[in-house]
DNA sequence: TCGTAATATCGCAATATTACGATATGGGAA
DNA sequence: TTCCCATATCGTAATATTGCGATATTACGA
């Protein structure tokens, strides 16, 4: 064990879990926030923004990229990152649908 | 190591990471989805809904409760769970603000 | 070509998560 | 009280995550 069981859950549930997991670390939240704030692609300087070593940040960027939350474009010897809005939208839509349904709940 | 660094990140970033992490597992996504779909408090039968052992589900419910995503009320010897809409709203608002800012990005 | 800057990857140690059987706990019913 | 039912907690094995130093890699400029 130690492995997450994915069988038995819907594709959507697994997808949302993966996306949420990718945002489940303050460094990755900070990266996404920084990219959103900037409004443009950010080449480099993410390392200067966070209190983590370069190797660690590279790892976090990789995870965000794999989850589809950010995109990376090679620009010379630097790499430019930016948010993939569509993915963010996907999570937002999902949460909105959850919130909408629990709105009219006669709860304890 | 193995521990997440929280110092150096804002309170909000840490909070969002905690909430996202709580949703970062298909079982917990399924639980939240089920509670939202039901619209009312659910007493019991969550265990029958998921392909996991009772002990495991109890653990997941605990994590969701700790994160503030769900509330639990004791009803006799059963426990009724329901979504805490305010917390879901908090994540949604955050993501919307992220999406809004990255909307007008001239991206690569 | 050589050096340097930017990023990725490797390897490892520390710690966290996941899953579950076994066992507790606490309430209601017989 | 005694027996169930629902839920929580404990203990543990398997695996995942985190963080970082060291080391690649790759592209550019001198």
């Amino acid at each position: 064990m130690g492995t997450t069981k994915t069988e038995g859950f819907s594709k959507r549930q697994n997808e949302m879990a993966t996306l949420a997991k990718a945002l489940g670390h303050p460094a990755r939240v900070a990266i996404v926030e920084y990219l959103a704030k900037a409004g443009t692609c950010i080449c480099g300087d993410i390392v200067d923004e966070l209190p983590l070593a370069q190797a660690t940040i590279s790892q976090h960027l990789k995870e965000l990229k794999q989850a589809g939350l950010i995109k990376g474009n090679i620009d010379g010897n630097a790499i430019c990152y930016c948010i993939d809005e569509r993915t963010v939208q996907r999570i937002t839509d999902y949460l909105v649908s959850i919130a909408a349904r629990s709105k009219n709940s006669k709860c304890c």
Side-chain angles (χ1 to χ4, degrees), chain A:
Chain A
M1 295 115 212
T3 328
T4 297
K5 257 195 177 177
T6 53
E7 344 86 61
F9 300 106
S10 75
K11 203 167 181 179
R12 193 190 178 93
Q13 284 165 347
N14 276 305
E15 192 204 353
M16 285 305 144
T18 301
L19 291 177
K21 195 172 179 181
L23 279 176
H25 190 290
R28 296 196 288 266
V29 170
I31 289 171
V32 167
E33 199 171 296
Y34 180 60
L35 291 178
K37 211 169 280 175
T40 8
C41 289
I42 294 301
C43 300
D45 55 31
I46 295 180
V47 174
D48 304 320
E49 279 292 309
L50 304 188
L52 292 170
Q54 181 267 326
T56 309
I57 291 175
S58 183
Q59 218 174 243
H60 284 307
L61 285 168
K62 188 181 173 187
E63 281 174 73
L64 284 172
K65 217 186 321 183
Q66 275 178 341
L69 280 163
I70 66 174
K71 293 179 287 187
N73 282 63
I74 299 174
D75 172 32
N77 65 342
I79 296 193
C80 294
Y81 288 103
C82 61
I83 290 190
D84 191 332
E85 308 154 29
R86 292 174 308 156
T87 310
V88 175
Q89 196 60 50
R90 206 121 41 93
I91 318 177
T92 308
D93 289 348
Y94 182 76
L95 287 176
V96 166
S97 84
I98 291 284
R101 273 190 284 197
S102 61
K103 218 45 170 214
N104 21 336
S105 65
K106 352 162 180 51
C107 215
C108 21

